[in-house]
Amino acid sequence: MRTLQFPLSVFFFSFFAMAQIPSSLNLMPVPAKVQVGSGQLVVDQSFTAVSTSQRDARLDGGIARFLDQVSRQTGMQLNGQSADASNATLVIRAENAGRKVQELGEDESYTLEITPSRATLTAPNALGALHGLQTFLQLIEPTPAGFAVPAITIEDQPRFAWRGLLIDVSRHFIPIEVLKRNLDGMAAVKMNVLHWHLSDDEGFRVESKRFPKLQELGSEGQYYTQSEIRDFVAYARDRGIRVVPEFDMPGHSRSWMAGYPELASVPGSYRAGRIAGADTVMDPTRDGTYKFLDKFIGEMAGLFPDAYFHIGGDEVTNKPWDSNPKIQEFIRAHGMKNNRDLQAYFNQRLQKIVSKHGKIMMGWDEVLHPDLPKTVLVESWRGQDSLAEAARQGHRGLLSYGYYLDLMWPAARHYAVDPMTMTMTKPGAAAALSTEEQKRILGGEACMWSEFVTPETIESRIWPRLAAIAERFWSPQEIRDNQSMYRRLEEVSWRLGWLGLNGVSKYESNYATMLHRLAGSHDIAALRVLADVVEPTKDYTRTEVFPQPPVKSTPLNRLADAARPESTVARQFAELVETYLQSGYKDSAAEAQIRAWLVKWRDNDANLKAVLDRSFLLAEDMPLSEDLATLATAGLEALDNIGKNQPLPDAWRTAQSAVVDRSMKPRANLLVMVAPPIQKLVEATASSH
Ligand code: ACM
């Protein structure tokens, strides 16, 4: 800890290793240590930033982007005057440039000191300086005296070294420019690994020069060329982000078989694409499979510079192996007990190949087996227990369970999941690990599986919730206050809009564009009232509607695709109701706001009907709009009754509950999220007299 010119007692009092962050600050993730000073540093057109570090193209590029971002955030062209360490507004010093290929565990710490006259950013490694620049950007606010950052001292470093986001580009192909925008967003919230899920049953997305039929027959023309991949990896490195490729095997591999059916466990012809069909699994008993994988992994090891190589290993279905007598005979002949032993055999051979090509193998938690080499990193998607078990067995690991963005959970639910504990309040299996074993847990990854997203909608599913997960991975474990998180998430959200992330900003996003398309009209006011209070169904319930994940011809252009995963209106309405009820029905300001919302919702259906009638895409939403009006009417009746001496009969409450129940069951893949707080108002009528 650096020496500050404060008496020690003041230092400890004000330099909080923070359980809370002051509400004046919109920092996300919350830094490890913050000390707020007095006064502010003005950010005007004369703002300059210089590096006193050794020349480093990555840091110089980061500073250039930072200045561009300052300009965008303030709407001011900066003068761009030259400056040196003696007169620059912000002086940046990184002691070293970092590894050429970014490594796990490089020092990402930084210290940012801002006084009313200047700012200094120091870091042992350029990575820390890049993070510090993002912190500075989050501090810029308009003030009566102009744009400014507060006088402050921040000493910051991540809690976990591995802070990842998986993006599945197989189920739906996601173009490079969309991925790049998401890298910008990840850098803004200090995430450092993009886990690129590049192959699955539906599509093989990488150009292979040794096995060109992989992309020619496995991608329906949608893949990344090797030069695009090199450019993308460099773009990520510039932002302090590693790119870890995943080629899922032996399961989830139908797209490989389109060009190379000899890899399959069941002879036949295979097609890639979003088509219904049983899972396809590689044949681990043939030497040819390993010869193929040796050449393929050798080629990919040269294309992807990161030290880690993800081989998938999840959800290997039994049927293809069970149905091939040769494979079952191989199991018996080698003294194996079952298919799981066969997968372990496959993984051992695979690990040798991956290692021969200079990479560290990683896989999903199904790869865990007593015979698995301990160097293999295990990524747990099925629960914290398997992560703890992996750590106990000597593996390093990551947690993904609890961070699946495709499940449409609210940010708070992801935020409560911690790699080291079951939830923030319940100790999990990891809590029982020794210190040595706990050290093997390196962090976690959020996952954006793409069965139900398109390039148009993917960002609205990643953002802004990912910022809450980023905070879980970066900030001290004590940072867990949901109210503070949501307050800052809202602020981070519109700021991310400057990066051009679709759907991030409530004010300017593809949300409105999609609503216009649904309505076929410029007038989306009434549709938006409904859209603002619904959420897509949770977990995998959407698959119940589409019995298979959507096939190629299934458009994802419904209200369920436009609606945000978490309704801000519903969350804030629920808070209002809570405030009102806890005040003993005395908070008249809260009551007035509740009433205003309810009146709006009660009257909306009449305005929306004509819009819903006109569009085939919206007809399915008619019952939701009607129920919103019914719920609102019930809420208003409850408000009129609560605290008064006019009991409403039990039969009335029972009738309202039926509407609430219906509203929280999936219809048109949507839930009406204001139903539970309205239910609370309805229930309050039972105790008010
Ligand atoms: C997974 O979700 N099958 C890794």
Side-chain angles (χ1 to χ4, degrees):
M1 191 177 289
R2 53 186 294 130
T3 321
L4 291 169
Q5 297 134 323
F6 286 94
L8 215 55
S9 58
V10 175
F11 178 86
F12 278 114
F13 180 70
S14 56
F15 212 153
F16 38 115
M18 324 192 26
Q20 276 290 347
I21 181 160
S23 61
S24 58
L25 298 175
N26 293 321
L27 297 174
M28 192 163 210
V30 167
K33 287 180 192 156
V34 174
Q35 179 189 25
V36 180
S38 62
Q40 60 185 32
L41 174 67
V42 168
V43 176
D44 62 18
Q45 286 172 287
S46 68
F47 183 87
T48 49
V50 300
S51 167
T52 62
S53 326
Q54 291 201 330
R55 279 311 292 276
D56 168 20
R58 174 165 63 173
L59 184 56
D60 291 347
I63 294 170
R65 283 196 310 278
F66 164 80
L67 288 169
D68 183 52
Q69 184 70 12
V70 170
S71 204
R72 277 200 267 178
Q73 280 188 215
T74 59
M76 299 185 304
Q77 197 87 45
L78 302 182
N79 295 341
Q81 63 224 30
S82 63
D84 58 31
S86 69
N87 62 5
T89 327
L90 171 62
V91 177
I92 300 146
R93 178 158 190 86
E95 296 309 324
N96 76 67
R99 309 305 293 251
K100 203 154 170 286
V101 174
Q102 189 177 327
E103 286 177 13
L104 171 67
E106 277 188 75
D107 194 329
E108 296 181 272
S109 68
Y110 68 92
T111 300
L112 178 61
E113 282 188 275
I114 302 175
T115 71
S117 56
R118 68 180 345 202
T120 317
L121 170 60
T122 53
N125 180 308
L127 289 171
L130 293 174
H131 293 315
L133 291 173
Q134 297 293 345
T135 301
F136 192 100
L137 289 170
Q138 290 187 346
L139 288 168
I140 299 174
E141 302 277 359
T143 77
F147 283 102
V149 288
I152 201 166
T153 301
I154 292 173
E155 287 185 12
D156 202 5
Q157 82 272 323
R159 179 172 166 224
F160 291 111
W162 192 304
R163 306 179 304 281
L165 167 67
L166 172 149
I167 299 185
D168 167 10
V169 296
S170 177
R171 274 58 178 264
H172 280 87
F173 181 70
I174 307 296
I176 284 278
E177 68 268 20
V178 177
L179 296 177
K180 283 185 172 175
R181 279 203 297 272
N182 284 284
L183 289 179
D184 291 340
M186 289 170 68
V189 294
K190 302 183 172 63
M191 296 192 87
N192 66 358
V193 180
L194 188 279
H195 170 167
W196 209 355
H197 185 80
L198 286 160
S199 71
D200 213 299
D201 292 321
E202 291 83 348
F204 190 98
R205 304 302 182 193
V206 175
E207 176 192 25
S208 168
K209 294 190 200 282
R210 300 198 73 148
F211 300 104
K213 282 189 284 183
L214 283 171
Q215 73 272 10
E216 285 167 12
L217 298 177
S219 76
E220 301 179 300
Q222 295 187 305
Y223 64 92
Y224 312 104
T225 66
Q226 296 203 352
S227 92
E228 283 174 323
I229 288 167
R230 286 199 183 87
D231 168 74
F232 182 71
V233 169
Y235 187 97
R237 181 190 182 271
D238 278 347
R239 285 151 184 79
I241 297 171
R242 299 165 42 216
V243 175
V244 174
E246 179 189 348
F247 296 94
D248 209 341
M249 53 187 123
H252 286 277
S253 59
R254 175 166 37 89
S255 63
W256 305 55
M257 316 314 178
Y260 301 92
E262 63 273 22
L263 292 171
S265 295
V266 178
S269 72
Y270 293 88
R271 275 202 303 142
R274 273 177 278 137
I275 50 173
D279 287 345
T280 308
V281 180
M282 289 177 185
D283 183 348
T285 67
R286 280 184 58 247
D287 277 340
T289 301
Y290 301 98
K291 290 206 179 86
F292 181 101
L293 291 176
D294 186 15
K295 290 193 189 117
F296 172 74
I297 291 171
E299 181 184 14
M300 293 301 123
L303 182 58
F304 293 95
D306 198 81
Y308 288 79
F309 194 92
H310 204 306
I311 59 87
D314 57 318
E315 298 183 300
V316 181
T317 53
N318 285 314
K319 204 168 149 202
W321 287 352
D322 286 345
S323 67
N324 184 333
K326 263 183 24 215
I327 291 177
Q328 291 307 310
E329 176 49 34
F330 185 93
I331 288 176
R332 277 188 296 278
H334 286 75
M336 299 173 191
K337 288 190 299 298
N338 51 33
N339 290 343
R340 300 286 69 78
D341 287 354
L342 181 59
Q343 191 182 352
Y345 166 87
F346 174 75
N347 285 334
Q348 287 173 73
R349 292 194 64 173
L350 200 54
Q351 190 275 333
K352 288 203 180 74
I353 294 170
V354 170
S355 173
K356 180 182 115 185
H357 293 293
K359 304 293 184 187
I360 302 166
M361 180 165 124
M362 55 189 291
W364 298 107
D365 49 340
E366 287 96 327
V367 301
L368 205 53
H369 188 280
D371 296 339
L372 186 71
K374 300 302 178 210
T375 54
V376 176
L377 193 151
V378 175
E379 177 163 15
S380 175
W381 72 280
R382 293 181 302 170
Q384 273 112 327
D385 286 354
S386 61
L387 178 62
E389 185 51 35
R392 208 179 343 266
Q393 289 183 23
H395 296 278
R396 291 171 310 145
L398 300 174
L399 185 66
S400 280
Y401 169 83
Y403 304 124
Y404 270 36
L405 295 164
D406 57 325
L407 299 185
M408 306 284 177
W409 293 2
R413 189 165 169 196
H414 292 303
Y415 194 59
V417 178
D418 190 278
M420 302 305 289
T421 58
M422 187 63 81
T423 69
M424 297 306 279
T425 49
K426 262 192 293 180
L433 296 176
S434 71
T435 313
E436 204 50 39
E437 290 163 345
Q438 284 188 353
K439 279 197 199 128
R440 297 187 186 128
I441 296 176
L442 303 177
E445 288 189 347
C447 293
M448 185 68 255
W449 299 103
S450 67
E451 282 92 341
F452 296 102
V453 296
T454 65
E456 179 179 53
T457 62
I458 189 168
E459 286 150 285
S460 74
R461 273 70 185 116
I462 295 175
W463 303 99
R465 293 177 300 154
L466 182 64
I469 299 174
E471 177 156 291
R472 180 57 51 241
F473 295 158
W474 177 281
S475 301
Q477 191 176 20
E478 303 75 56
I479 300 295
R480 56 201 259 187
D481 181 76
N482 278 337
Q483 254 186 330
S484 166
M485 180 275 284
Y486 275 118
R487 183 188 65 71
R488 290 175 295 108
L489 194 64
E490 291 277 298
E491 298 303 325
V492 164
S493 187
W494 65 265
R495 285 160 191 269
L496 285 168
W498 277 308
L499 301 174
L501 285 157
N502 280 336
V504 163
S505 156
K506 283 197 306 246
Y507 312 107
E508 197 206 14
S509 69
N510 62 2
Y511 183 45
T513 309
M514 292 180 78
L515 295 183
H516 283 299
R517 180 175 63 209
L518 283 160
S521 165
H522 77 283
D523 182 5
I524 54 169
L527 180 57
R528 193 165 183 149
V529 170
L530 177 64
D532 278 351
V533 300
V534 293
E535 289 178 9
T537 53
K538 310 295 156 189
D539 301 321
Y540 289 118
T541 42
R542 188 151 184 183
T543 342
E544 291 163 15
V545 183
F546 294 118
Q548 298 277 348
V551 295
K552 193 172 170 54
S553 56
T554 308
L556 294 173
N557 61 355
R558 298 297 170 118
L559 190 56
D561 301 298
R564 310 285 97 168
E566 183 169 17
S567 159
T568 302
V569 170
R571 182 173 55 75
Q572 290 176 343
F573 180 77
E575 279 169 20
L576 269 178
V577 167
E578 214 50 53
T579 303
Y580 173 65
L581 295 180
Q582 286 186 6
S583 76
Y585 324 123
K586 291 191 179 65
D587 188 332
S588 56
E591 183 185 346
Q593 287 181 67
I594 292 168
R595 194 174 289 279
W597 277 118
L598 293 172
V599 167
K600 191 190 203 80
W601 296 331
R602 180 196 63 195
D603 298 343
N604 193 61
D605 185 50
N607 301 325
L608 186 53
K609 273 231 152 71
V611 180
L612 300 184
D613 269 338
R614 218 181 40 225
S615 169
F616 76 105
L617 292 168
L618 290 171
E620 65 190 7
D621 303 314
M622 193 76 82
L624 299 162
S625 176
E626 287 166 359
D627 280 353
L628 179 62
T630 308
L631 286 166
T633 303
L636 286 165
E637 282 176 50
L639 265 194
D640 288 339
N641 178 261
I642 285 171
K644 303 229 171 66
N645 214 4
Q646 307 160 320
L648 282 168
D650 285 344
W652 178 83
R653 273 181 297 280
T654 308
Q656 311 316 323
S657 296
V659 187
V660 169
D661 289 349
R662 198 163 69 212
S663 299
M664 290 305 286
K665 294 221 169 72
R667 285 173 300 174
N669 290 305
L670 289 165
L671 309 174
V672 183
M673 297 306 292
V674 293
I678 289 176
Q679 168 84 341
K680 287 196 175 164
L681 292 174
V682 166
E683 281 164 6
T685 63
S687 55
S688 62
H689 44 79

